[in-house]
């Protein structure tokens, strides 16, 4: 037996030193989502297992291999969410959000869980920002989703961004393409990997994103879905590309991009950024016009994307994007001994009541308190000793200007601090 506990495989502790990155990423995505008219929705961390089996697709890697499923004490079959969209669509139906004026633009953010093989940028508990637009068939909604994704990474300061773009067709044109793809693959049955032989039966489109070396030449020469789109899908794709061209947004048509979830129709896309090696997709999404009906809701076109927050932080670190420093309480209250301590606590509370961030020394000599204040990054140390108290004063040491010291009447300390902090 090990003599200490460790975190479960594939999870991370986000320590205080990591939090400036996380705060910056979270604040950036939320600010942009709000500025673009998206409203927040929060759904449970777990849902009925059947929701994901249906919504994500029985034959996907997620449902086949990656779900954290369990039975609760009431014999309910539940699963920690492996992605957000199925839960958001369930909530849309259950809460009657169909009555809202269209488009309904929603975002959510939080942890998701997949039993994957952990590696850089791939975890078992990870965090996603998720955005969706419901009720609009027009490619303008696809564009809006793609712009939000793009602008998030631009606002985070990433360089070398690009869109990968494809269409996965619709129930009208996809079956014919899948049949063409399958017969092409059957002709090469001897050359493809075992997984692809299996995928060919269960989920043929997925052969296109196989990573096995032996399958690469077969994929390269495979028929492309964009050559087999029906008129509606073709026009949709063209109009979306037209919008992107007009805006000068760089994109690469990637006919291997099919994405791991079954629910996509028409548009699929990813944003790639330099910095996480093989895991270069920082986000991915697309259109899923059939999902609402599949989950027994009213037919409702929809388009959305999910962005991994860990990957955003990794890219920031790789591209040396520094997040803004987290705010530090500017005031630190120090005291000489036990006798002056209770007056120091009163002073602390007064300063906090005025809305100024402050902390108090909790142990040590005055010298070590001052050292601690410096390490914590405080601007002003207020020192209370017997002499100062007798004179109704407090000594203020300004760590921001080489430790200059001055006495300030206790009665005036709050306005004094307010004035100095305003200048800063
Ligand atoms: P998906 O839901 O698979 O379309 O993934 C959308 C985004 O979520 C990806 O582009 C990643 O940024 C992130 N993501 C997906 N799976 C993981 C994982 N296991 N660990 C970390 N990030 C992930």
């Amino acid at each position: 037996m090990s003599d200490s506990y460790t975190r479960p495989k594939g999870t991370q502790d986000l320590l205080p030193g990591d939090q400036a990155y996380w705060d910056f990423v979270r604040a950036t995505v939320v600010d942009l989502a709000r500025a673009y008219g998206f409203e927040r929705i929060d759904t449970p961390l777990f849902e009925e297992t059947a929701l994901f089996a249906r919504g994500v697709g029985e034959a996907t890697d997620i449902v086949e291999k990656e779900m954290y499923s369990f039975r609760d004490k009431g014999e309910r079959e539940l699963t920690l969410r492996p992605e957000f969209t199925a839960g958001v669509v369930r909530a849309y139906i259950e809460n009657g959000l169909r009555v809202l004026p269209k488009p309904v633009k929603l975002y959510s953010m939080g942890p998701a869980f997949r039993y994957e093989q952990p590696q850089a940028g791939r975890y078992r508990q990870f965090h996603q920002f998720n955005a969706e637009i419901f009720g609009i068939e027009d490619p303008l909604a696809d564009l809006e989703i793609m712009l939000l994704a793009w602008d998030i990474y631009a606002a985070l300061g990433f360089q070398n961004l690009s869109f990968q773009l494809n269409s996965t067709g619709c129930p009208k044109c996809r079956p014919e393409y899948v049949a063409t793809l399958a017969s092409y693959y059957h002709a090469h049955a001897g050359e493809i990997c075992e997984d692809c032989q299996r995928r060919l039966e269960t989920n043929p489109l997925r052969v296109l994103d196989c990573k096995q070396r032996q399958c690469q030449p077969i994929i390269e020469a495979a028929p492309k879905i964009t050559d087999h789109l029906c008129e509606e899908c073709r026009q949709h794709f063209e109009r979306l590309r037209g919008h992107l061209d007009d805006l000068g947004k760089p994109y690469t048509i990637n006919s291997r991009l099919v994405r791991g979830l079954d629910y996509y129709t028409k548009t699929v896309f990813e944003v790639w950024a330099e910095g996480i090696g093989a895991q270069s997709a920082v986000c991915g999404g697309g259109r899923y016009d059939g999902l609402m009906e599949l989950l027994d809701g009213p037919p409702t076109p929809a388009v959305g994307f999910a962005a991994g927050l860990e990957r955003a932080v990794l890219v920031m670190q790789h591209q040396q994007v520094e997040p803004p420093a987290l705010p530090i309480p500017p005031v630190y209250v120090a005291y000489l001994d036990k006798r002056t301590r209770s007056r120091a606590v009163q002073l602390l509370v007064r300063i906090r009541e005025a809305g100024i961030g402050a902390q108090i020394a909790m142990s040590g000599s005055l010298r070590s308190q001052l050292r601690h204040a410096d390490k914590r990054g405080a601007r002003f140390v207020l020192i209370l000793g017997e002499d100062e108290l007798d004179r109704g004063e407090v000594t203020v040491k300004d760590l921001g200007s080489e430790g200059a010291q001055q006495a300030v009447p206790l009665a005036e300390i709050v306005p004094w601090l307010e004035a100095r902090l305003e200048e800063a």
Side-chain angles (χ1 to χ4, degrees):
M1 210 177 86
S2 79
D3 51 6
S4 59
Y5 298 106
T6 55
R7 57 180 183 267
K9 186 172 175 187
T11 63
Q12 281 187 297
D13 297 314
L14 302 177
L15 300 177
D18 302 317
Q19 297 294 339
Y21 288 94
W22 282 83
D23 265 31
F24 181 54
V25 169
R26 281 188 292 241
T28 304
V29 293
V30 168
D31 285 354
L32 277 176
R34 292 218 180 101
Y36 292 14
F38 288 78
E39 294 180 288
R40 181 158 182 146
I41 181 167
D42 287 300
T43 61
L45 280 187
F46 53 85
E47 299 271 1
E48 268 179 64
T49 299
L51 176 75
F52 297 118
R54 193 87 199 272
V56 177
E58 295 278 5
T60 57
D61 281 355
I62 293 182
V63 172
E64 273 186 351
K65 304 187 247 186
E66 297 172 359
M67 295 210 298
Y68 279 92
S69 299
F70 59 98
R71 183 174 296 169
D72 77 359
K73 293 188 201 309
E75 303 293 312
R76 296 174 194 87
E77 299 290 345
L78 300 170
T79 293
L80 298 183
R81 66 178 173 211
E83 57 98 54
F84 283 64
T85 301
V88 171
V89 168
R90 194 261 318 129
Y92 183 98
I93 299 168
E94 188 172 345
N95 297 286
L97 301 190
R98 64 189 294 182
V99 302
L100 296 175
K102 307 292 181 302
V104 179
K105 297 164 77 174
L106 302 175
Y107 78 89
S108 34
M109 187 164 61
F113 305 86
R114 292 183 196 171
Y115 190 79
E116 294 197 83
Q117 211 37 52
Q119 49 180 285
R122 190 175 293 284
Y123 309 94
R124 291 183 174 172
Q125 176 178 328
F126 57 100
H127 297 78
Q128 283 187 335
F129 166 80
N130 184 76
E132 352 243 354
I133 300 181
F134 293 104
I136 304 291
E137 231 167 306
D138 195 282
L140 191 53
D142 310 43
L143 177 75
E144 174 79 330
I145 277 292
M146 291 177 75
L147 288 181
L148 175 61
W150 184 274
D151 292 350
I152 284 172
Y153 297 111
L156 289 174
F158 291 3
Q159 307 289 326
N160 302 327
L161 292 173
S162 69
F163 278 127
Q164 299 289 311
L165 183 64
N166 197 16
S167 173
T168 54
C170 70
K172 272 185 278 166
C173 53
R174 188 162 36 201
E176 207 181 300
Y177 169 70
V178 168
T180 310
L181 183 69
S183 63
Y184 165 82
Y185 260 78
H186 281 127
H188 292 86
E191 300 154 61
I192 59 178
C193 73
E194 264 176 38
D195 262 355
C196 280
Q197 301 200 359
R198 197 177 47 82
R199 285 189 193 117
L200 215 45
E201 305 310 322
T202 56
N203 196 353
L205 278 184
R206 294 304 306 282
V207 296
L208 294 173
D209 69 5
C210 178
K211 305 286 180 294
Q212 296 287 334
R213 182 184 292 233
Q214 72 192 90
C215 296
Q216 301 314 306
I218 316 286
I219 298 172
E220 285 305 317
K224 294 183 173 31
I225 190 161
T226 40
D227 296 331
H228 292 79
L229 296 176
C230 64
E231 189 50 24
E232 186 188 322
C233 288
R234 199 188 55 74
Q235 275 193 24
H236 189 97
F237 197 47
E238 232 165 58
R239 288 187 52 211
L240 175 60
R241 289 180 58 183
H243 283 308
L244 292 169
D245 291 337
D246 288 347
L247 293 169
K249 293 277 182 252
Y251 61 88
T252 305
I253 307 283
N254 180 346
S255 49
R256 302 174 55 154
L257 187 67
V258 286
R259 312 213 9 89
L261 301 94
D262 267 1
Y263 49 59
Y264 287 107
T265 49
K266 296 191 174 122
T267 312
V268 284
F269 75 94
E270 289 182 345
V271 175
W272 287 12
E274 218 174 66
I276 32 180
Q279 308 302 329
S280 51
V282 280
C283 79
R287 184 165 272 283
Y288 35 91
D289 290 343
L291 183 61
M292 192 76 76
E293 257 178 300
L294 188 69
L295 297 177
D296 304 327
T300 309
V303 54
F305 79 97
L309 303 190
E310 282 78 4
R311 291 197 194 168
V313 169
L314 281 173
V315 174
M316 279 180 77
Q317 290 166 344
H318 176 85
Q319 297 195 359
Q320 289 168 3
V321 177
E322 278 299 316
L326 294 178
I328 292 166
V331 174
Y332 188 100
V333 181
Y335 44 84
L336 223 49
D337 52 32
K338 284 201 176 110
R339 278 167 304 162
T340 42
R341 188 156 68 178
S342 64
R343 293 297 298 276
V345 172
Q346 286 171 11
L347 179 62
L348 171 80
V349 170
R350 242 179 79 208
I351 291 168
R352 285 182 176 165
E353 278 171 359
I356 300 173
Q359 53 186 332
I360 188 164
M362 295 203 174
S363 65
S365 65
L366 184 58
R367 242 179 104 132
S368 74
Q369 293 178 32
L370 289 176
R371 254 201 320 269
H372 186 233
D374 196 31
K375 274 202 192 120
R376 298 290 298 138
R379 168 78 198 275
F380 296 108
V381 191
L382 311 189
I383 305 165
L384 270 187
E386 292 282 357
D387 295 350
E388 282 93 344
L389 278 181
D390 287 346
R391 289 197 302 271
E393 286 179 343
V394 56
T395 300
V396 182
K397 196 171 161 72
D398 183 350
L399 298 182
S401 71
E402 289 167 7
Q405 253 174 241
Q406 79 178 93
V408 177
L410 264 175
E412 286 163 31
I413 186 65
V414 166
W416 188 93
L417 283 170
E418 281 169 342
R420 293 304 174 295
L421 290 169
E422 198 138 290
E423 283 165 19

